[in-house]
Amino acid sequence: MSLLPSADRRYLAGRGLAYREVTDGAQQGVILTGFRLPSAKYQVDAASILILLPSGYPDVAPDMFYALPWLQLVPDQRYPKAADQPVQFEGQRWQRWSRHNTSWRPGVDGLSTMLKRVEQALEEAA
């Protein structure tokens, strides 16, 4: 059973992104595996990115995103601002990136919008 609307699945396939649709208890989400990170910004080149899907998605906005492994900025090996709290999902401790969404457009936005926000947060992290 797919959690994602067909437009989201087409978008992910069109970008060539590997993903899993997951349920953990009452929470549902999508995990992007091997997600490429900005070059030389973090201690790794790729990570898994979790986006939890709120009840009512896609009319309700996903709020934050989560990373595995925990990402640290190089060269000082510190966590980015507002990305130092753990969240349990599928038996793992994910790094919560507290980036709130205040401009979601129900009926218009989807994972393409959320991924632009994720990519921007990863690029601009300080």
Side-chain angles (χ1 to χ4, degrees), residues 11-12 17 32 51 111-119:
Y11 169 76
L12 294 171
L17 295 172
L32 306 168
I51 299 169
L111 271 187
S112 63
T113 307
M114 184 62 184
L115 281 182
K116 286 176 190 157
R117 291 182 58 242
V118 168
E119 291 168 335

Side-chain angles (χ1 to χ4, degrees), residues 1 3 8 12-13 18 36 55 66 94 110 116:
M1 178 183 138
L3 306 172
D8 284 345
L12 294 171
R36 302 294 304 166
S55 178
Y66 311 85
W94 292 78
K116 286 176 190 157

Side-chain angles (χ1 to χ4, degrees), residues 13-34:
R15 287 221 22 209
L17 295 172
Y19 70 96
R20 293 187 302 122
E21 297 175 67
V22 292
T23 300
D24 184 25
Q27 294 184 305
Q28 297 181 326
V30 60
I31 297 174
L32 306 168
T33 56

Side-chain angles (χ1 to χ4, degrees), residues 2 12 14 41 50 52 55 59 63 74 76-77 89 103 107 110 112 118 121-122:
S2 181
L12 294 171
K41 187 159 184 107
L50 166 65
L52 293 177
S55 178
D59 289 329
D63 191 30
V74 294
D76 53 354
Q77 294 300 300
F89 189 83
S103 59
S112 63
V118 168
L122 291 168

Side-chain angles (χ1 to χ4, degrees), residues 67-86:
L68 267 182
W70 282 50
L71 303 176
Q72 294 181 344
L73 297 164
V74 294
D76 53 354
Q77 294 300 300
R78 66 174 177 80
Y79 297 130
K81 188 184 226 178
D84 62 353
Q85 297 300 309

Side-chain angles (χ1 to χ4, degrees), residues 35-102:
F35 192 80
R36 302 294 304 166
L37 301 173
S39 180
K41 187 159 184 107
Y42 300 97
Q43 83 278 18
V44 294
D45 295 327
S48 291
I49 301 294
L50 166 65
I51 299 169
L52 293 177
L53 302 174
S55 178
Y57 176 83
D59 289 329
V60 177
D63 191 30
M64 298 180 253
F65 67 95
Y66 311 85
L68 267 182
W70 282 50
L71 303 176
Q72 294 181 344
L73 297 164
V74 294
D76 53 354
Q77 294 300 300
R78 66 174 177 80
Y79 297 130
K81 188 184 226 178
D84 62 353
Q85 297 300 309
V87 168
Q88 284 291 127
F89 189 83
E90 279 199 320
Q92 296 182 295
R93 276 181 86 242
W94 292 78
Q95 177 188 26
R96 182 184 76 186
W97 284 63
S98 184
R99 308 294 190 273
H100 303 289
N101 192 342
T102 58

